[in-house]
Amino acid sequence: MKTLSQSPTDPAFVQNPYPFYDNARRKGDLFYWEDYSLVAAVSHKAVHTLLRDRRFGREVPAEHAQPGPQYLAPWLAVEAHSMLELEPPRHTRLRSLVLRAFTSRAITALQPSIEQMCHDLIDEFPDGPFDLLQAYCTQVPVITICRLLGVPEEMAPHLLHWSHAMVAMYQANRTRQTEDDAVRASQEFTAYLESYIEKRRSDPRDDLITRLIVAEEDGEKLSREELITTCILLLNAGHEATVHAIGNGVKTLLTTRTQHCVTSPDTIDGVVEEILRIDPPLHMFRRYAYEEVEIFGHRFARGDEVALLLGAANRDPAIWPRPDTFDPMRDFSANTSFGGGLHFCVGAPLARLEMRIALPVLFQRCPNLRLADVPQYSDSYHFHGLTKLMIET
């Protein structure tokens, strides 16, 4: 196995990580990423396999778990009950509750309101250059997830602030200030949800928070802490990735001059999948080995961690001819942008629906849309999204 060095905060890597992935993939399915002190899976075959191999999982083996610093306790308390960090049986129970809200029927029912929201947002576009990321790409998913959970839409700015602060803990440029901000956000987010959940207990509605409360009271053993954490996870995960999937997609369509493809019902699904493949909003998942495993020429001991590079897997030439070319007409193999296996993203159908609506409406309403400045990616690896998207209509 080759050892490679590449700082995830290097400006050139931040703007374009794909050449590094290509170089690493040429050296094998796995490589040792010196900057992370981790074995990393870089080929589609390796990433696809490890996402589904039950000998690996998200939850650290008990004997390897280390208590975090006391000053991070409020953030760690939320993470401790997140289904994203858990394995069965707790993961199974939490995921089954959430999936009740993400049925095909429930998601399809959101379509008219999402479409109207897109038109309403476009009606408010200012004259002259403006940041589409803030005016549109962020608003569509955060308002949608507020409506799905039943959280007042006027809370969206607060939710965005708390969410950004909490998920920044996973970024490569994490600092003590990042940690302090995440702790404060965790406390404020938790306090708000505690109060709001009490309101929903006395005034139930047809929303996900009410259904989670009912499930708790019906004896499915959803604790108060699990209820709050699940709401935070859904609010955070329900918009963070989709914001950048839409933003990266608009940037790709404009730079490749392929925006005409999104305005046809016959091609929109292919466009969405190709956007998710070529420039996904999340580039790394991690897994722990649960037993001694020899795979792809490397022996993992129990407790060893492996990084799964989703962005690299999506550009493997063994799967996709001309992988660096945006081709919405290509025949598709499943991309890895939403993960796989037990932890496949429960919100993937909703994210795809939002993209299938938001992109066509945008380009139908704004046929002369063009970039007003060169888009720049944020220094936030393992996330991959733009800092802003300045456009003119």
Side-chain angles (χ1 to χ4, degrees):
M1 182 192 304
K2 293 289 185 181
T3 296
L4 300 176
S5 177
Q6 172 60 66
S7 169
T9 62
D10 175 72
F13 177 83
V14 168
Q15 297 308 314
N16 186 9
Y18 300 106
F20 171 70
Y21 295 157
D22 291 342
N23 178 54
R25 196 189 307 104
R26 284 192 289 268
K27 304 189 185 301
D29 296 295
L30 307 176
F31 73 97
Y32 185 77
W33 197 338
E34 190 172 31
D35 304 77
Y36 276 104
S37 301
L38 278 178
V39 173
V42 70
S43 70
H44 182 273
K45 179 180 179 182
V47 171
H48 179 85
T49 299
L50 290 169
L51 280 170
R52 292 159 176 79
D53 193 324
R54 293 300 302 136
R55 296 174 296 179
F56 294 83
R58 282 289 301 165
E59 194 168 358
V60 61
E63 71 274 19
H64 293 275
Q66 297 292 329
Q70 185 58 38
Y71 70 88
L72 284 181
W75 181 79
L76 292 170
V78 173
E79 293 294 291
H81 301 286
S82 171
M83 68 176 177
L84 191 63
E85 309 297 332
L86 299 173
E87 292 295 311
R90 288 186 67 195
H91 172 270
T92 305
R93 187 180 75 253
L94 291 171
R95 187 179 175 95
S96 66
L97 290 168
V98 172
L99 282 173
R100 295 178 184 179
F102 284 93
T103 63
S104 298
R105 179 181 176 185
I107 292 169
T108 301
L110 292 169
Q111 183 167 339
S113 66
I114 295 173
E115 186 169 352
Q116 184 60 53
M117 182 210 317
C118 290
H119 284 287
D120 293 343
L121 290 169
I122 292 170
D123 288 341
E124 298 298 319
F125 282 178
D127 295 328
F130 66 96
D131 183 7
L132 189 74
L133 204 66
Q134 294 304 317
Y136 191 73
C137 305
T138 296
Q139 301 306 316
V140 172
V142 74
I143 293 173
T144 299
I145 200 67
C146 282
R147 290 174 178 175
L148 183 65
L149 270 82
V151 175
E153 292 175 28
E154 58 267 26
M155 283 299 298
H158 297 284
L159 301 175
L160 286 170
H161 172 73
W162 293 329
S163 177
H164 293 334
M166 293 181 73
V167 302
M169 290 290 281
Y170 293 101
Q171 296 172 187
N173 60 0
R174 171 175 160 177
T175 65
R176 177 56 192 263
Q177 185 62 54
T178 306
E179 295 174 339
D180 291 342
D181 291 344
V183 167
R184 189 178 308 108
S186 300
Q187 292 169 322
E188 293 174 359
F189 210 161
T190 297
Y192 170 73
L193 283 172
E194 285 178 339
S195 173
Y196 192 73
I197 287 168
E198 287 308 310
K199 291 181 181 179
R200 275 290 170 266
R201 288 185 191 277
S202 59
D203 182 21
R205 302 287 179 87
D206 183 20
D207 56 42
L208 176 56
I209 288 181
T210 298
R211 288 193 287 274
L212 289 173
I213 292 170
V214 171
E216 178 195 16
E217 292 175 345
D218 281 350
E220 293 194 25
K221 300 181 180 178
L222 187 65
S223 71
R224 184 181 185 83
E225 292 78 15
E226 288 173 335
L227 178 58
I228 290 170
T229 293
T230 299
C231 291
I232 290 176
L233 174 63
L234 291 173
L235 284 162
N236 288 356
H239 75 272
E240 284 283 350
T242 312
V243 169
H244 295 300
I246 296 172
N248 294 358
V250 173
K251 176 252 183 185
T252 297
L253 291 165
L254 291 176
T255 55
T256 58
R257 300 182 184 276
T258 52
Q259 56 265 47
H260 61 280
C261 295
V262 301
T263 58
S264 169
D266 296 330
T267 56
I268 183 59
D269 287 341
V271 173
V272 167
E273 294 308 309
E274 181 71 343
I275 286 171
L276 290 169
R277 180 196 71 81
I278 201 166
D279 206 22
L282 182 65
H283 277 218
M284 181 195 290
F285 281 161
R286 296 190 186 193
R287 295 288 188 270
Y288 293 96
Y290 289 153
E291 59 186 77
E292 187 174 289
V293 180
E294 184 164 348
I295 191 168
F296 298 110
H298 178 73
R299 184 178 296 276
F300 291 93
R302 177 174 165 84
D304 284 353
E305 200 173 6
V306 58
L308 312 181
L309 304 185
L310 312 181
N314 279 349
R315 294 206 186 191
D316 191 335
I319 305 296
W320 291 281
R322 300 175 294 110
D324 296 325
T325 299
F326 181 72
D327 179 9
M329 300 298 114
R330 71 167 73 242
D331 293 330
F332 274 92
S333 296
N335 61 64
T336 62
S337 301
F338 291 113
L342 279 181
H343 289 281
F344 181 78
C345 178
V346 296
L350 178 59
R352 287 185 165 109
L353 176 67
E354 289 170 331
M355 294 176 72
R356 286 200 302 268
I357 297 172
L359 292 170
V361 170
L362 177 65
F363 284 102
Q364 287 164 1
R365 289 284 308 274
C366 304
N368 298 319
L369 196 72
R370 60 193 180 279
L371 294 173
D373 199 359
V374 177
Q376 296 292 310
Y377 289 95
S378 169
D379 179 13
S380 55
Y381 194 82
H382 50 83
F383 302 104
H384 185 68
L386 301 169
T387 55
K388 57 184 177 180
L389 184 57
M390 297 302 296
I391 59 99
E392 294 178 294
T393 57

